[in-house]
Amino acid sequence: MSWQSYIDDHLMCDVEGNHLTSAAILGQDGSVWAQSSNFPQVKPEEVEGIMKDFNEPGHLAPTGLFLGGAKYMVVQGEGGAVIRGKKGPGGVTIKKTTQALVFGIYDEPMTGGQCNLVVERLGDYLIESDL
């Protein structure tokens, strides 16, 4: 299965009539493995900040999480495994796998819980596959 099909079939899928606005799978070095057409251009320093937060949970809380220059307020996550951010009526979920970062960005009417479910389910599958 290609990385793009993980985006198209597993992340951008229908969830109770709602969809993520964009999604991506990036290597932990920031290299793009696959992404939806409208996923923001993530800067190297943004990926570095995300990786630092996975290694030092709480690192991004004071400054916020930035993706493509957009600022998200960091909300509850799972230290070392999941970072969740909120921006207005939407937000982002980032799941760390063995080799990658799985991103899901959502906006209303999708909920944070629905986004978490989609992103974390794929992330868990990739972890089980040692990816």
Side-chain angles (χ1 to χ4, degrees):
M1 183 183 285
S2 78
W3 288 111
Q4 192 60 47
S5 61
Y6 283 106
I7 300 292
D8 300 338
D9 301 338
H10 299 283
L11 292 174
M12 299 301 289
C13 61
D14 181 90
V15 181
E16 298 172 19
N18 300 320
H19 296 86
L20 292 173
T21 53
S22 62
I25 301 172
L26 273 57
Q28 292 183 6
D29 61 358
S31 59
V32 176
W33 292 10
Q35 64 184 20
S36 63
S37 60
N38 56 349
F39 190 78
Q41 183 69 44
V42 179
K43 300 175 181 136
E45 60 269 20
E46 294 172 340
V47 174
E48 289 168 17
I50 291 165
M51 288 305 299
K52 186 163 185 173
D53 195 83
F54 278 123
N55 295 325
E56 300 171 27
H59 168 74
L60 290 174
T63 58
L65 161 69
F66 287 86
L67 279 183
K71 183 177 182 178
Y72 293 82
M73 179 179 67
V74 178
V75 293
Q76 91 289 352
E78 296 167 33
V82 179
I83 298 171
R84 298 184 183 107
K86 190 89 175 107
K87 179 177 175 239
V92 62
T93 301
I94 308 167
K95 171 78 174 181
K96 181 179 179 240
T97 72
T98 311
Q99 302 175 29
L101 300 171
V102 181
F103 292 79
I105 298 176
Y106 70 95
D107 213 337
E108 286 184 332
M110 184 173 243
T111 66
Q114 290 171 323
C115 178
N116 297 342
L117 183 72
V118 170
V119 171
E120 293 175 39
R121 183 184 296 150
L122 178 60
D124 290 340
Y125 170 77
L126 294 177
I127 290 167
E128 288 168 17
S129 303
D130 206 27
L131 293 168

